[in-house]
């Protein structure tokens, strides 16, 4: 039997993502806009998450995974990855302050290692909680490096990664 048609929510997600990408590209071509490195970093950051999300949804639907389970897995992995990217940049000596009283510590760094470690924990946890009978880790095995590679282009423009 043919694969199920794309559901409206997937089509809506794709159209919104393409809309935002078009807006960023239009803004980059405006004559009075200076290409600020932070804008380029944000563009590649959003592009890396958006592209990997789109690929995971697309392949998951082709494999006949439940869309709800795919979206919940993506949300869990994204949450764990973002928390991990921030958490591993905080020195261990400051964790006690962060956990007890001073929640206003400012740490703007990001760690690719935190993304990989915490994202993997989130993926395994989501696969167990949402009872995904089919493996989904093989999709992430090549989409995550693709997303990190795109994000590193933004890091190059900002100069945060050498």
């Amino acid at each position: 039997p043919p694969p199920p048609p794309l559901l409206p929510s997937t089509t809506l997600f794709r159209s919104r993502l393409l809309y935002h990408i078009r807006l960023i590209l239009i803004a980059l071509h405006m004559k009075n806009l200076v290409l600020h490195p932070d804008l380029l970093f944000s563009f590649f950051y959003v592009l890396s998450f958006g592209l990997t999300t789109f690929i995971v949804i697309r392949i998951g639907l082709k494999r006949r995974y439940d869309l709800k389970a795919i979206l919940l897995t993506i949300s869990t992995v994204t949450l764990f990855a973002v928390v991990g990217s921030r958490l591993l940049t905080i020195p261990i000596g400051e964790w006690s302050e962060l956990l007890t009283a001073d929640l206003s510590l400012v740490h703007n760094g990001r760690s690719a290692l935190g993304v990989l470690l915490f994202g993997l924990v989130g993926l395994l946890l989501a696969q167990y909680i949402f009872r995904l009978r089919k493996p989904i880790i093989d999709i992430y095995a090549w989409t995550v490096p693709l997303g990190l590679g795109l994000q590193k282009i933004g890091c190059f423009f900002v100069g945060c990664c050498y």
Side-chain angles (χ1 to χ4, degrees):
L6 288 177
L7 298 175
S9 60
T10 307
T11 306
L12 181 63
F13 169 78
R14 184 177 16 173
S15 65
R16 284 185 181 170
L17 179 65
L18 291 175
Y19 171 75
H20 288 293
I21 291 172
R22 283 187 200 128
L23 281 181
I24 291 172
L25 290 175
I26 290 169
L28 290 175
H29 289 359
M30 292 174 59
K31 292 180 182 177
N32 59 354
L33 180 70
V34 178
L35 291 179
H36 196 273
D38 289 336
L39 176 66
L40 291 172
F41 177 81
S42 297
F43 170 74
F44 284 105
Y45 190 79
V46 169
L47 181 65
S48 70
F49 273 104
L51 184 64
T52 54
T53 300
F54 174 75
I55 291 171
V56 169
I57 291 173
R58 181 83 174 179
I59 293 174
L61 289 177
K62 281 186 178 182
R63 292 183 180 180
R64 300 191 184 279
Y65 293 167
D66 181 36
L67 180 62
K68 197 183 317 180
I70 294 171
L71 294 175
L72 288 171
T73 302
I74 290 171
S75 300
T76 304
V77 170
T78 302
L79 175 68
F80 273 71
V82 169
V83 168
S85 74
R86 298 295 185 150
L87 193 60
L88 284 188
T89 60
I90 300 172
I92 294 175
E94 295 181 17
W95 282 19
S96 61
E97 293 177 37
L98 184 68
L99 295 174
T100 56
D102 190 11
L103 296 176
S104 65
L105 293 175
V106 177
H107 296 279
N108 292 326
R110 292 178 183 90
S111 168
L113 182 61
V115 170
L116 291 174
L117 291 176
F118 280 73
L120 179 61
V121 169
L123 178 61
L124 295 174
L125 185 67
Q127 191 166 357
Y128 176 75
I129 290 174
F130 304 126
R131 295 187 178 108
L132 296 172
R133 299 190 198 306
K134 301 174 185 176
I136 196 167
I137 197 167
D138 62 328
I139 301 172
Y140 279 95
W142 64 273
T143 55
V144 169
L146 175 70
L148 284 173
L150 282 172
Q151 184 184 356
K152 291 303 173 187
I153 296 171
C155 291
F156 171 75
F157 285 116
V158 173
C160 59
C161 301
Y162 298 105

